[in-house]
Amino acid sequence: MQDLIIGIDLGTTNSEVAIVENGQPRVIAIDGDPILPSVVGLSSDEKLLVGKPARNQYVLAPERTVKSVKRQMGLDLKIPLGAQQFRPQEVSAMILRRLKEAAEKDLGQPVHKAVITVPAYFNDSQRQATREAGQLAGLEVVRILNEPTAAALTYRPNPDTNEKFLVYDLGGGTFDVSIVQAEGGVFEVLSSHGDTQLGGDDFDELLLNHIADEFQELYQIDLRVNLTTKARLLRAVENAKKTLSDHAFARIEEEFIAEKDGVPLHLTKELERSTFEQLIDPLLRRTMDCLQKALDDAKINASDLKQVVLVGGSTRSPVISRLLEARLGQPAHREVHPDLCVAMGAAIQAAIIAGSDVGAVLVDITPHSVGIKSLEVPDSFSRQFNEYKFAPIVPRNTPLPTSRSEIFCTVSDNQAKVDIDIFQGESGDVRRNHRVGKFLIEGLARVPAGNQLVVQMELTLDGTLKVTAREKATGLMKNIVIDNAMARFAVEEKDAAQSRLDRMWAESEWTEGDDEPIDPAKLADLLGSEPGAYDDDEEDDDDDEGYEKFPVPEPEEDAAAPRFQFPVDAGATTGQREAVQARALLEKAERVGAKANSEDRAELGRLTAKVKAALDERRWPDLQSTSNALADVLFYLEDA
Ligand code: AMP
């Protein structure tokens, strides 16, 4: 009988375990989730917690919880956990043991051997500590494998050629970039550079400081002082960061976050993706410096690279693919799930050691970018608008299912309607792409230019595309569902996608073992789809009214109302945007107020006075909070 060897990605933030079955790597679920947070804790009654329960208690009991132990591996120190002290290997062993037991439960047999991955830059003592952790967990570590090699293994190169990969790995706590050479099935790391103190945790910290500084300015209270409040805020900003990977805005809402003069204070904040990208820009520049060093050390140019591979949860932020493509002149691959590909590669290496056959990893992706026609304003002096600019919303090679949104603005004052013209393709000019559908959203608020529309695209595994356009200030919404959007792809592409899909589907519905199967909602979330992440309007999902099946009739042209919109980043300043929203809300308040009872009218009067004052005095943060309060009341009154 062949050896049973599991592959383990022992990550700073998360860990995974995988196995190759029927030539395909499969990530094993742990309590229904493919990802185990690399967090260890002791409960209040001294019980050991590993994974999610430990991560959940971090907010309440940071002193009884250990995160990011990977950063301490190989160091001669003790880590306090409650009243006890542990070596880093011991803490890592607890994580490994949890993974081993999940694999045994899933496979229905004992597991004694593993391939464990480590960063390419790990030194001997860090590798040795990892081996010891494995032994402590009851595992013989048959190979310590470099993480970039594992990632490259999932993008199986042609064994007959010499191919070079650049693996850009940005996780929670660490960053590294490696050049991996594959020749005749043999992988070699030619160079590797990194920063052991740079990752998604630092992005969270920057966001946290940004929000805490703003809150402090408004209320003179520092949310970072109280450990529990800080942990709560940290979790909120991390969620917002993840939302921003697929959507142009994210809302942070934390009730009773602080108290002032006996009055509870709530935190409500809308974050723009562009703000986040500006905040993390200096850190991303550092990663680009490392990338250049890795290329120099391997003595190659960007043009020598066969593939650019993304690894690590933080590479889901779209700014990273953008920067890499601009720097390296080719799109980065993220078809294999960036959080899972190292574990899958470890499983592939394990299968190779065990003498099993491994096939190419199959994934389902969108083969073309999908987006809308927009208006580009070249610069503030020229009036040469480009009317045919393609604004992609779902980029090519995005794993399915997916849900993404972007914000666009009207360009004329009192613009009452906008065409949403949907295209797929890679050209920046829509005339060279393929039109998929079109619809019109009418009845927009009569406000100055800069009125924001959220355009959301949901693309399912079976190729159905749903496009929703929503006026941000009022919630006015219209959508279109295009069946078989994938049928427009080349036939061979569709066939390949179909067989990949069938296979993925069959595998995801496994029933072996009695561990819970992966929760479909979690899987969708993991695959980048966040249904409803931005649809805070309940009517959105289950209301078929307002749906239009493609094809829709051509809308009538309105000479007075230009049809175009442009991405928000290219246009209005922050103040303008807030002003547009506020004016739309004031207009709506007038309409709703006319029908409201005297008590509600008085409340509306009080709030609209505050909004008007903030608007007149151009106090933008105040305008945003008062507008939010007004929007809440309007929402309630409209619903009543
Ligand atoms: P890893 O160490 O590879 O598991 O990556 C974990 C890091 O990825 C954490 O900092 C997460 O906050 C971050 N992350 C996970 N999902 C996303 C996402 N959708 N967008 C941005 N960052 C993410």
Side-chain angles (χ1 to χ4, degrees):
M1 195 174 117
Q2 268 178 354
D3 260 354
L4 180 66
I5 312 176
I6 53 175
I8 292 179
D9 171 9
L10 184 59
T12 310
T13 317
N14 294 308
S15 297
E16 299 86 27
V17 55
I19 184 91
V20 168
E21 274 172 353
N22 306 323
Q24 281 291 297
R26 172 171 74 82
V27 177
I28 291 171
I30 303 145
D31 296 332
D33 201 326
I35 285 178
L36 178 77
S38 306
V39 187
V40 172
L42 283 182
S43 65
S44 52
D45 55 355
E46 299 280 297
K47 292 227 169 64
L48 186 64
L49 305 171
V50 181
K52 230 181 299 167
R55 189 191 59 191
N56 291 347
Q57 79 153 22
Y58 179 71
V59 173
L60 300 169
E63 71 291 350
R64 276 191 275 114
T65 317
V66 179
K67 289 196 339 177
S68 306
V69 65
K70 189 171 173 180
R71 286 182 166 178
Q72 322 278 350
M73 290 294 271
L75 298 180
D76 188 15
L77 49 78
K78 293 273 176 71
I79 300 169
L81 183 58
Q84 304 178 60
Q85 306 250 321
F86 294 90
R87 287 187 304 141
Q89 294 87 314
E90 292 175 275
V91 179
S92 285
M94 295 167 193
I95 299 167
L96 290 172
R97 184 146 183 188
R98 182 77 186 89
L99 296 169
K100 173 181 183 282
E101 283 180 2
E104 287 174 338
K105 198 171 166 195
D106 180 277
L107 299 166
Q109 65 179 99
V111 173
H112 302 295
K113 294 184 179 180
V115 168
I116 302 180
T117 59
V118 295
Y121 60 80
F122 252 28
N123 62 27
D124 269 357
S125 51
Q126 289 167 307
R127 285 166 196 259
Q128 189 50 33
T130 306
R131 273 186 195 282
E132 282 170 21
Q135 283 155 8
L136 283 170
L139 287 167
E140 179 193 340
V141 183
V142 295
R143 179 80 51 93
I144 292 279
L145 181 68
N146 287 319
E147 287 163 7
T149 303
L153 269 166
T154 61
Y155 287 87
R156 314 229 326 129
N158 180 344
D160 301 327
T161 54
N162 177 330
E163 292 179 345
K164 294 188 182 68
F165 294 77
L166 183 139
V167 181
Y168 181 100
D169 182 351
L170 188 58
T174 57
F175 164 70
D176 59 85
V177 56
S178 311
I179 309 294
V180 179
Q181 175 171 264
E183 195 168 20
V186 177
F187 287 75
E188 187 189 354
V189 178
L190 296 182
S191 66
S192 190
H193 272 276
D195 191 328
T196 49
Q197 308 295 327
L198 196 167
D201 296 351
D202 302 291
F203 299 174
D204 300 343
E205 193 76 25
L206 286 169
L207 269 180
L208 181 138
N209 284 332
H210 173 73
I211 294 196
D213 285 349
E214 229 174 66
F215 195 87
Q216 193 166 12
E217 206 168 297
L218 271 176
Y219 300 108
Q220 293 74 51
I221 294 173
D222 188 349
L223 297 174
R224 290 157 287 208
V225 173
N226 179 305
L227 212 54
T228 311
T229 309
K230 184 177 173 191
R232 207 176 130 193
L233 191 55
L234 204 53
R235 186 186 288 196
V237 295
E238 188 189 2
N239 285 337
K241 172 186 77 175
K242 290 181 181 171
T243 301
L244 289 175
S245 289
D246 297 327
H247 303 274
F249 274 77
R251 199 170 294 150
I252 296 178
E253 272 169 18
E254 289 290 315
E255 297 205 321
F256 305 109
I257 192 99
E259 204 181 275
K260 188 168 181 168
D261 306 327
V263 179
L265 296 175
H266 311 302
L267 173 70
T268 308
K269 167 88 188 154
E270 198 166 61
L271 258 181
E272 285 179 27
R273 187 191 281 160
S274 52
T275 309
F276 170 63
E277 291 180 353
Q278 274 162 23
L279 281 174
I280 65 170
D281 185 64
L283 298 185
L284 296 183
R285 305 246 155 244
R286 262 165 62 194
T287 72
M288 291 297 144
D289 294 344
C290 287
L291 181 147
Q292 188 55 50
K293 282 188 201 140
L295 285 174
D296 292 347
D297 283 4
K299 300 191 175 50
I300 61 166
N301 296 317
S303 57
D304 298 324
L305 293 168
K306 172 78 180 170
Q307 289 208 47
V308 178
V309 176
L310 294 183
V311 180
S314 300
T315 60
R316 286 159 166 268
S317 292
V319 59
I320 289 167
S321 306
R322 264 198 343 258
L323 277 181
L324 283 173
E325 186 164 353
R327 171 71 189 77
L328 299 170
Q330 60 172 296
H333 285 262
R334 54 204 172 99
E335 296 92 317
V336 181
H337 198 302
D339 294 325
L340 305 182
C341 77
V342 171
M344 287 186 180
I348 290 171
Q349 180 67 67
I352 293 169
I353 293 171
S356 313
D357 283 339
V358 191
V361 177
L362 304 173
V363 284
D364 208 36
I365 51 160
T366 155
H368 300 297
S369 304
V370 194
I372 63 168
K373 184 169 88 166
S374 68
L375 178 71
E376 183 181 36
V377 184
D379 60 56
S380 47
F381 304 108
S382 165
R383 298 295 293 165
Q384 297 296 305
F385 289 170
N386 169 13
E387 296 180 13
Y388 300 101
K389 165 117 177 117
F390 179 55
I393 294 177
V394 179
R396 179 172 177 234
N397 286 343
T398 300
L400 297 177
T402 187
S403 164
R404 303 261 173 142
S405 70
E406 291 291 344
I407 305 275
F408 297 84
C409 287
T410 55
V411 287
S412 308
D413 292 345
N414 299 319
Q415 185 170 335
K417 56 187 184 180
V418 162
D419 261 340
I420 305 293
D421 217 348
I422 307 149
F423 288 83
Q424 66 181 29
E426 308 315 317
S427 172
D429 185 326
V430 290
R431 289 171 294 187
R432 288 204 280 272
N433 290 334
H434 175 84
R435 180 187 267 164
V436 183
K438 178 174 176 166
F439 68 100
L440 178 75
I441 176 161
E442 302 179 88
L444 302 176
R446 299 287 174 156
V447 292
N451 188 8
Q452 294 187 353
L453 290 182
V454 182
V455 180
Q456 175 156 345
M457 292 193 163
E458 288 168 46
L459 199 48
T460 65
L461 267 174
D462 63 8
T464 305
L465 174 68
K466 177 177 169 189
V467 184
T468 308
R470 186 161 60 87
E471 188 180 34
K472 196 152 172 280
T474 62
L476 173 78
M477 194 167 61
K478 186 110 179 242
N479 42 29
I480 185 173
V481 176
I482 302 161
D483 292 326
N484 297 322
M486 294 259 279
R488 291 158 196 278
F489 300 156
V491 174
E492 63 275 19
E493 280 174 338
K494 187 184 174 255
D495 289 349
Q498 186 65 58
S499 52
R500 285 195 300 259
L501 184 151
D502 290 346
R503 186 150 189 169
M504 244 180 101
W505 206 248
E507 281 179 7
S508 68
E509 287 181 338
W510 94 90
T511 49
E512 275 178 22
D514 41 10
D515 217 341
E516 277 179 66
I518 296 176
D519 176 351
K522 253 177 228 140
L523 188 65
D525 184 34
L526 204 68
L527 289 169
S529 159
E530 269 184 87
Y534 211 88
D535 29 62
D536 36 8
D537 273 297
E538 276 176 11
E539 48 181 305
D540 185 16
D541 276 337
D542 38 19
D543 183 0
D544 267 355
E545 244 177 67
Y547 265 49
E548 288 189 39
K549 286 276 179 191
F550 180 72
V552 290
E554 285 276 317
E556 278 172 27
E557 297 291 333
D558 176 353
R563 293 163 295 146
F564 305 110
Q565 59 280 342
F566 58 85
V568 71
D569 291 347
T573 63
T574 309
Q576 269 177 309
R577 255 177 246 133
E578 264 122 34
V580 168
Q581 276 169 36
R583 287 195 192 101
L585 282 169
L586 289 171
E587 196 180 277
K588 190 167 175 183
E590 226 172 77
R591 280 200 310 274
V592 174
K595 290 188 236 151
N597 64 33
S598 58
E599 199 181 320
D600 291 337
R601 220 176 9 252
E603 175 67 0
L604 277 178
R606 195 180 62 77
L607 285 169
T608 49
K610 277 188 169 179
V611 172
K612 279 181 189 152
L615 189 61
D616 288 347
E617 289 155 33
R618 304 168 73 82
R619 287 181 279 114
W620 306 132
D622 278 359
L623 183 60
Q624 190 158 13
S625 54
T626 49
S627 295
N628 285 342
L630 178 59
D632 283 348
V633 172
L634 285 172
F635 180 79
Y636 163 74
L637 286 179
E638 272 201 323
D639 235 20

